[in-house]
Amino acid sequence: MALSPSKTEELLVEQRGRVAVITLNRPDRYNAISRDMLNELSEKMVEANKDPDTRCIVLTGAGKGFCAGLDLIGVGEGNIGGGDTKGGNRPARQLFDLRDAPINVMWNIDTPIVCALNGPAAGYGMDVALLCDMRIAAPTAKMAAVTAKRNVVPESGGTWLLPRLIGWGKAAELYYRARTVDAEESLSMGLINTIVPADELMDTAMQWAEEIADNAPLAVQTTKRMMRMGLEESYDTAVDHLMVHLAGMFQSEDFKEGVQAFLEKRKPDFTGR
């Protein structure tokens, strides 16, 4: 089952087998996220996560940039998180209701997300890249932690994510100094997984995504969920939760298929059941 078409040309959706490719498509604005893009990105992430035939998502940007952050015009009109696109006069408590915003949706879905980082990611765009499970970067990719230069904070989860990814000291260095780091330094800091030539970026991202899609989807998605929950759980609680999931997985058709494929020395054909 393929994802439904996007309601806006500012977000492109393409189904490539078991992989959903989502492209931020405002190249003239370095893919700064508009109000329409916020809602549509959330919807497509949720749709992909609910689709049993979609086993991985690839997120990238059109043109030279990945994402320049939130469109400041949209923010100026009062839309911060991606809900109602009309009301700059809404109460403050509604302005910060981010349950359906991309940042929360991306964190909570179990379908893996591969970021094909084709260029600079700044502010909100940097947080969106960090919310992907892994990042494959072109040599032109950059991470711009520049919020302090604009008298704002990383409102999209960056202050929670970044110290966990690279440690307190490095995260503090990037945020307090409002640094922009290139692909090589991002790799050395652990912000990205690998760097590939620009003309190989999407092919590499698709290769990784297809390798993920070849594996048992229940195992991959449960692993992602347990990793996410494990950030806040004790060791004993995490192990207990893992054993509960494992007991159910032992009863699945895919477990039987995995064992049979191993015995027969062939590639398994997982169905998600």
Side-chain angles (χ1 to χ4, degrees):
M1 185 173 71
L3 300 190
S4 61
S6 174
K7 300 186 188 78
T8 172
E9 293 182 356
E10 295 178 347
L11 192 80
L12 304 180
V13 179
E14 179 186 1
Q15 192 77 30
R16 300 189 191 179
R18 296 171 299 184
V19 179
V21 179
I22 300 177
T23 304
L24 306 176
N25 188 42
R26 295 182 81 200
D28 56 320
R29 298 292 301 274
Y30 290 91
N31 300 316
I33 296 184
S34 68
R35 294 174 294 174
D36 289 340
M37 290 168 75
L38 279 169
N39 291 333
E40 193 68 7
L41 181 57
S42 291
E43 288 182 12
K44 292 308 170 191
M45 289 285 179
V46 170
E47 187 179 343
N49 192 54
K50 289 181 177 179
D51 179 13
D53 296 326
T54 298
R55 299 187 182 179
C56 191
I57 299 166
V58 171
L59 179 64
T60 191
K64 296 181 178 180
F66 173 72
C67 180
L70 286 175
D71 189 314
L72 295 179
I73 295 174
V75 174
E77 291 174 351
N79 185 46
I80 296 177
D84 180 5
T85 61
K86 297 179 180 178
N89 295 320
R90 288 174 294 154
R93 63 180 175 82
Q94 292 181 351
L95 282 174
F96 291 95
D97 182 358
L98 303 178
R99 287 171 295 180
D100 297 327
I103 54 173
N104 278 6
V105 170
M106 290 177 67
W107 175 249
N108 284 295
I109 66 173
D110 294 328
T111 302
I113 308 171
V114 176
C115 178
L117 196 64
N118 58 301
Y124 192 95
M126 177 175 167
D127 288 347
V128 167
L130 296 180
L131 280 162
C132 296
D133 296 283
M134 53 201 79
R135 288 155 292 282
I136 303 168
T140 54
K142 296 179 181 179
M143 291 284 193
V146 294
T147 49
K149 290 184 181 295
R150 299 170 184 164
N151 195 36
V152 293
V153 295
E155 81 287 353
S156 318
T159 52
W160 191 91
L161 279 166
L162 198 60
R164 285 168 167 79
L165 285 171
I166 63 174
W168 183 281
K170 285 295 184 182
E173 176 188 345
L174 292 188
Y175 281 139
Y176 303 171
R177 296 177 63 194
R179 289 197 61 211
T180 297
V181 291
D182 63 17
E184 290 291 345
E185 188 170 2
S186 294
L187 180 63
S188 69
M189 297 176 79
L191 285 169
I192 60 177
N193 294 73
T194 190
I195 303 170
V196 299
D199 59 357
E200 298 177 13
L201 180 64
M202 281 305 297
D203 286 343
T204 305
M206 284 302 300
Q207 178 188 339
W208 287 31
E210 287 165 358
E211 289 173 357
I212 293 168
D214 280 343
N215 292 323
L218 182 60
V220 172
Q221 293 173 14
T222 302
T223 299
K224 177 175 178 177
R225 178 176 291 191
M226 292 297 94
M227 288 171 62
R228 182 174 68 239
M229 294 175 65
L231 292 171
E232 300 298 320
E233 291 179 331
S234 69
Y235 178 80
D236 288 340
T237 301
V239 171
D240 187 66
H241 282 166
L242 283 165
M243 295 306 296
V244 170
H245 283 286
L246 194 59
M249 293 169 74
F250 281 153
Q251 307 303 314
S252 70
E253 293 180 14
D254 275 355
F255 176 73
K256 298 174 186 177
E257 168 63 12
V259 172
Q260 194 66 29
F262 173 76
L263 294 174
E264 296 175 0
K265 297 182 171 57
R266 61 173 172 82
K267 181 179 178 180
D269 181 18
F270 294 117
T271 62
R273 294 190 291 270

